[in-house]
Amino acid sequence: VLEDVFDSYPDTLLSGKFVATVLFGAGLFVACATTSSADVSTSPDGLTWTLRAMPSTLAWQIGTDGTSFVAIGNGSTSIARSTNGTTWTAGTALPGVAAYGKKPLITGGVTLATANAASTFYRSTDYGNSAWTTQTTPTTIGSARAVVGGLFWYHQSGTTAYTSPTGLTGSWTSRTLPVTPVLGGSYVDQDGALWILGTSTNAYKSSDGINWTDMGPPLTEIGGLHINGVELYASFTFGETKTRSNGITTVRYSGISPIINV
């Protein structure tokens, strides 16, 4: 099956802007735009959306650990913080410029922001409230990064990835992947598991970023956000998402870019 039939195309109110990311935490879907905006948008059900003011107008990248949120301004040192997704305040500025298009990674309050410099994360122990420290990684950080099983994880290149329990310099361990993930072929599902997909390969799933299970041909569409029976994707139309309320439908992977890129 290559056709996707969606129930509705609700407007996130991020007018004139493409939706960059939709994630779920604190009981809400939260959407941000690909370009500069003074707002993010939230929804309890993926249908009705409300704009929420941000501390400044930037292209925000948002991360969550399911309870609190941290947003980073693309190509800036600006940070925004929220405990509920609706009220946002400025956090402590990064020590250097953040990379473009890389949302923060959060586990246990520890937050990693990808620096614009290769092999560098900025690290906070309290959701960006106090000062950030600069931490280095063994290799250049690739395009895919995630939190899985309480570990920070990033793909370097080929079949090489790294995990760390803390994000601190010297804490990273090399891991071997079963396939080389394609761009946009890595994502964290609603159960916290990390999925990867290579070119013309089976899909693989891991609960810790270390051990992998062969899930067979990718017959389940990769890249959507599935919460409480609602399936949510970013639309190619400005400011819209797509919803499907019949749960996770088995469809063949059709190349839709994931809205929760890791």
Side-chain angles (χ1 to χ4, degrees):
V1 179
L2 293 176
E3 182 180 2
D4 297 320
V5 179
F6 288 86
D7 296 334
S8 57
Y9 293 80
D11 186 356
T12 64
L13 307 180
L14 295 167
S15 301
K17 303 178 186 299
F18 286 111
V19 175
T21 300
V22 181
L23 43 74
F24 187 84
L28 289 173
F29 293 102
V30 181
C32 59
T34 57
T35 53
S36 292
S37 177
D39 309 286
V40 295
S41 191
T42 66
S43 172
D45 56 10
L47 296 173
T48 302
W49 293 83
T50 303
L51 290 178
R52 309 295 183 177
M54 297 296 280
S56 54
T57 301
L58 289 166
W60 295 101
Q61 294 289 332
I62 304 175
T64 183
D65 60 0
T67 57
S68 293
F69 302 84
V70 177
I72 297 173
N74 271 345
S76 78
T77 61
S78 295
I79 295 294
R81 306 169 60 246
S82 177
T83 58
N84 55 19
T86 60
T87 303
W88 292 82
T89 58
T92 301
L94 298 175
V97 174
Y100 279 80
K102 306 296 183 184
K103 70 180 184 181
L105 307 176
I106 311 171
T107 180
V110 176
T111 306
L112 296 185
T114 307
N116 201 35
S119 309
T120 305
F121 280 119
Y122 302 124
R123 181 179 186 268
S124 168
T125 59
D126 56 4
Y127 300 101
N129 183 46
S130 57
W132 297 75
T133 59
T134 301
Q135 307 294 329
T136 59
T137 57
T139 64
T140 298
I141 302 165
S143 61
R145 300 144 311 107
V147 172
V148 55
L151 295 175
F152 294 108
W153 176 96
Y154 75 86
H155 174 228
Q156 176 203 350
S157 63
T159 57
T160 301
Y162 283 81
T163 62
S164 168
T166 63
L168 291 168
T169 300
S171 68
W172 295 89
T173 302
S174 178
R175 309 295 183 183
T176 300
L177 304 178
V179 294
T180 298
V182 298
L183 183 64
S186 306
Y187 87 107
V188 176
D189 207 350
Q190 75 276 7
D191 62 359
L194 176 62
W195 289 71
I196 59 173
L197 180 68
T199 302
S200 302
T201 68
N202 291 352
Y204 291 83
K205 180 180 181 179
S206 175
S207 61
D208 57 11
I210 303 169
N211 303 291
W212 295 87
T213 301
D214 185 340
M215 303 303 291
L219 297 179
T220 300
E221 192 167 31
I222 290 181
L225 185 58
H226 315 108
I227 301 292
N228 299 331
V230 176
E231 192 169 0
L232 194 64
Y233 285 81
S235 170
F236 292 109
T237 303
F238 282 125
E240 288 183 347
T241 59
K242 301 189 290 185
T243 65
R244 181 163 55 198
S245 61
N246 60 341
I248 303 173
T249 302
T250 300
V251 294
R252 189 170 297 278
Y253 177 64
S254 56
I256 294 177
S257 297
I259 59 171
I260 48 173
N261 289 323
V262 296

